[in-house]
């Protein structure tokens, strides 16, 4: 006969199998917790409440405004090596995914730790708290909520939790207002828009693992009696924001601007200056300015590549083609200098000059294509539209200018009916008094007759040498 305790055990087992969230340790509604809340300069909300358990688990509620592409908290006083919990919207735009990551290599994008370590940290979302009916969801124009348990999360980063500390350091950050919706735990992140750190009193927020288990704290203070209201979010058992900083991806637009200026404007303009001014000096000055833009832009690109997981290995199409273009720019510069030196001495074109003339347009074309690949790599796909429009407009202007220069300097076709016969006076005395031009037909007939190119049939007699009305052409044989 089943006892009452046996029934409870079987019921708990069934619930645990049907819903993993019920498999969590028994919870204490009065579990201790610390609360941190702040508002960024852009009026974005960030709130985190944590309950720490001495067995290494962390129960955490965290939320921010949905305008933020991501939000997260990390253990320690600096980003390098810190263990973090980072959340962002799911693919459907209404769910929230939380990823456990670790930063490495300074202020670079944190890396998802993966599932290769069975003893490593694991995040389990919790949906069953009565005070958080919208846990792990995002509401457009409202807040996005991460609500769950991070198992074994107290010691996987560079700094371990000290449960006796009254000023345990933490860092936090929120991402920029950009679209990020993914179900992947290693979804790519944009550089944070605001970040800082704070401390928590571990003595008022830690549960004893042997006797009392923890639970995810309510998103607001205990005295709010479970009611959820933005006005009740406050800081308790934690410090205010320490060293809060606004941040931006300044290097990314700078890299794009310099490369676009070089290949869309400066290099094509340098080619036109050679045609318009007929000056190698100004052509060379323009191209050197373009090379300097490329050099600085390339340095910024390499700097950026080390900050993001998607570009750290330098194996994307944009990066590979960019390296080829960068090397070819200096080859093109060298070919131009060598051609100029040789031409000044010989006044003749060489295979070097022909290579230089062919390589220039090809280099610009490849760079323009690579610009589109760069916007894709930076996850700024929408920028390809204005970029394509600018490139098309500049290309039309450039081609129009080249065609105008081509036709303006095109040699006039030979028109003998407009040519003066002054030049032919030296042929004989019979030309001395001729001052007017002759038609093309009469001139051809006259010269053909005197040179014997006509058949004798139908030939007119040549005038006497003394007849000045019609000059005769004397030919010595």
């Amino acid at each position: 006969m089943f006892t009452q305790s046996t029934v409870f055990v079987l019921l708990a087992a069934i619930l645990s199998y049907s819903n993993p969230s019920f498999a969590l340790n028994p919870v204490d509604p009065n579990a201790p917790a610390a609360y941190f809340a702040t508002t960024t300069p852009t009026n974005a909300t960030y709130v985190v409440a944590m309950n720490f358990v001495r067995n290494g688990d962390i129960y955490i509620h965290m939320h921010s405004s949905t305008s933020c592409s991501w939000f997260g908290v990390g253990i320690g006083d600096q980003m390098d090596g810190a263990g973090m919990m980072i959340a962002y919207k799911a693919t459907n735009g209404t769910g929230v995914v939380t990823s456990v990551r670790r930063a490495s290599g300074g202020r670079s994008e944190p890396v998802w730790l993966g599932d290769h370590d069975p003893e490593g940290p694991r995040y389990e979302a919790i949906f069953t708290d009565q005070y958080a009916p919208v846990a792990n969801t995002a509401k457009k124009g409202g807040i996005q909520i991460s609500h769950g348990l991070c198992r074994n999360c107290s010691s996987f980063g560079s700094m371990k939790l000290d449960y006796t500390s009254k000023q345990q350091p933490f860092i936090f950050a929120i991402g920029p207002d950009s679209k990020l919706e993914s179900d992947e735990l290693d979804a790519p992140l944009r550089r944070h828009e605001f970040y800082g750190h704070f401390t928590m009193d571990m003595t008022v927020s830690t549960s004893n693992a042997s006797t009392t288990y923890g639970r995810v704290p309510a998103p607001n203070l205990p005295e709010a009696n479970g009611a959820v209201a933005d006005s009740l979010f406050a800081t308790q058992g934690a410090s205010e924001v320490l060293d809060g900083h606004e941040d931006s991806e300044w290097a990314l637009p700078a890299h794009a601007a310099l490369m676009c200026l070089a290949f869309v404007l400066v290099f094509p303009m340098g080619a036109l200056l050679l045609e318009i001014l007929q000056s190698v000096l100004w052509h060379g000055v323009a191209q050197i300015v373009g090379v300097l833009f490329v050099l600085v832009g390339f340095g910024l690109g390499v700097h950026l590549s080390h900050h993001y997981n998607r570009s750290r290995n330098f194996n994307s199409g944009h990066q590979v083609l960019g390296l080829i273009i960068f090397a070819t720019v200096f080859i093109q510069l060298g070919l131009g200098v060598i051609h100029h030196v040789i031409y000044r001495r010989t006044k003749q074109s060489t295979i070097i000059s022909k290579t230089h003339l062919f390589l220039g347009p090809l280099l610009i074309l490849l760079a323009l294509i690579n610009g589109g690949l760069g916007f894709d790599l930076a996850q700024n796909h929408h920028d390809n539209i204005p970029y394509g429009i600018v490139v098309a407009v500049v290309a039309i202007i450039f081609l129009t200018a080249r065609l105008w220069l081509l036709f303006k300097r095109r040699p006039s076709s030979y028109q003998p009916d407009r040519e003066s016969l002054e030049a032919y006076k030296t042929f004989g005395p019979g030309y001395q008094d001729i001052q007017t031009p002759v038609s093309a037909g009469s001139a051809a007939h006259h010269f053909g007759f005197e040179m014997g190119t006509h058949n004798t049939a139908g030939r007119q007699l040549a005038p006497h040498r003394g007849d000045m009305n019609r000059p005769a052409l004397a030919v010595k044989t």
Side-chain angles (χ1 to χ4, degrees):
M1 185 175 183
F2 289 109
T3 63
Q4 185 176 7
S5 60
T6 304
V7 173
F8 285 144
V9 170
L10 290 176
L11 180 61
I14 294 172
L15 291 175
S16 299
Y17 179 79
S18 61
N19 191 335
S21 62
F22 285 101
L24 301 175
N25 294 325
V27 297
D28 177 7
N30 299 315
Y35 304 81
F36 170 78
T38 188
T39 301
T40 71
T42 57
N43 293 322
T45 299
Y46 177 80
V47 174
V48 60
M50 289 185 282
N51 165 227
F52 307 95
V53 185
R54 289 183 179 273
N55 64 1
D57 296 343
I58 300 176
Y59 292 87
I60 178 172
H61 171 96
M62 183 171 52
H63 75 247
S64 77
S65 305
T66 51
S67 60
C68 306
S69 55
W70 59 269
F71 53 103
V73 65
I75 302 171
D77 57 0
Q78 62 180 358
M79 184 173 178
D80 191 10
M84 302 179 181
M85 286 166 279
I86 296 176
Y88 39 86
K89 287 182 283 294
T91 301
N92 59 15
T94 58
V96 172
V97 174
T98 303
S99 172
V100 181
R101 306 190 183 199
R102 181 164 52 202
S104 61
R107 292 183 177 180
S108 59
E109 180 184 0
V111 180
W112 176 54
L113 297 181
D115 299 322
H116 56 276
D117 184 5
E119 302 299 325
R122 295 287 185 277
Y123 185 85
E124 301 175 7
I126 298 176
F127 300 88
T128 56
D129 286 335
Q130 62 180 5
Y131 58 82
V134 291
N136 300 297
T137 64
K139 182 179 180 181
K140 186 175 182 180
I143 61 174
Q144 49 191 340
I145 302 171
S146 170
H147 194 84
L149 166 64
C150 188
R151 294 190 181 276
N152 304 321
C153 284
S154 64
S155 60
F156 72 93
S158 58
M159 178 176 286
K160 295 178 174 59
L161 290 176
D162 180 1
Y163 298 109
T164 64
S165 174
K166 292 189 175 183
Q167 293 184 326
Q168 172 69 41
F170 292 89
I171 58 175
F172 76 97
I174 62 173
D177 185 1
S178 62
K179 185 176 181 180
L180 171 58
E181 296 179 355
S182 176
D183 293 333
E184 302 298 328
L185 295 176
D186 59 348
L189 308 177
R190 299 288 294 269
R191 188 179 180 90
H192 38 52
E193 183 179 78
F194 186 79
Y195 67 95
H197 71 273
F198 60 92
T199 62
M200 276 190 168
D201 186 349
M202 302 294 290
T203 63
V204 301
S205 55
T206 300
S207 298
N208 190 323
S210 61
T211 57
T212 306
Y213 294 93
R215 69 166 300 163
V216 182
N220 40 22
L221 301 181
E223 54 265 29
N225 296 322
V228 179
D230 288 349
S231 61
L232 299 174
F233 296 143
T235 297
Q236 180 173 288
S239 69
E240 299 293 335
V241 177
L242 303 176
D243 298 329
H245 295 279
E246 292 185 79
D247 198 12
S248 63
E249 289 182 316
W250 65 269
L252 184 60
H255 166 75
L258 287 171
M259 289 304 194
C260 287
L261 282 174
F263 290 103
V264 178
L265 184 62
V266 178
F267 286 146
M269 181 59 68
L272 280 180
L273 286 176
L274 183 61
E275 297 291 335
I276 296 173
L277 302 179
Q278 295 289 296
S279 171
V280 175
L281 174 62
W282 289 109
H283 170 74
V285 169
Q287 304 308 70
I288 289 175
V289 170
V291 170
L292 291 177
F293 282 1
V294 169
L295 187 61
V296 177
F298 179 80
L300 290 173
V302 172
H303 169 74
L304 284 167
S305 296
H306 290 293
H307 284 194
Y308 297 97
N309 298 330
R310 57 186 177 275
S311 57
R312 190 169 290 143
N313 295 325
F314 289 88
N315 56 3
S316 69
H318 174 72
Q319 291 170 300
V320 173
L321 186 55
L323 290 170
I324 296 173
I325 292 172
F326 179 74
T328 309
V329 164
F330 288 91
I331 294 175
Q332 175 74 344
L333 180 63
L335 290 175
V337 173
I338 294 171
H339 158 66
H340 179 63
V341 171
I342 294 176
Y343 187 81
R344 288 190 64 183
R345 187 175 66 250
T346 64
K347 304 299 181 183
Q348 294 181 353
S349 62
T350 63
I351 187 64
I352 293 178
S353 64
K354 294 178 181 179
T355 303
H356 181 74
L357 291 173
F358 171 77
L359 192 58
L362 177 62
L363 186 61
I364 292 176
L365 178 61
L366 291 177
L368 295 179
I369 295 173
N370 202 38
L373 296 177
F375 285 117
D376 288 340
L377 179 62
Q379 297 182 323
N380 292 329
H381 311 285
H382 57 280
D383 287 341
N384 270 321
I385 297 176
Y387 172 71
I389 293 174
V390 171
V391 169
V393 170
V394 173
I396 292 172
I397 295 174
F398 177 79
L399 293 175
T400 301
R402 289 301 300 266
L403 290 174
W404 179 77
L405 290 171
L406 177 64
F407 282 102
K408 181 181 178 182
R409 293 178 178 166
R410 183 177 181 181
S412 300
S413 58
Y414 177 59
Q415 296 177 324
D417 57 327
R418 298 181 178 274
E419 183 178 359
S420 175
L421 295 180
E422 284 289 330
Y424 296 105
K425 288 182 178 181
T426 56
F427 279 85
Y431 285 99
Q432 293 178 358
D433 296 333
I434 296 179
Q435 301 294 330
T436 59
V438 297
S439 66
S442 61
H445 176 77
H446 176 74
F447 293 136
F449 169 76
E450 294 298 336
M451 294 299 291
T453 57
H454 286 201
N455 293 329
T456 55
R459 182 193 304 177
Q460 298 180 359
L461 295 176
H464 297 291
R465 294 179 59 88
D467 187 359
M468 298 303 295
N469 293 326
R470 185 170 184 179
L473 188 65
V475 179
K476 293 182 180 181
T477 58

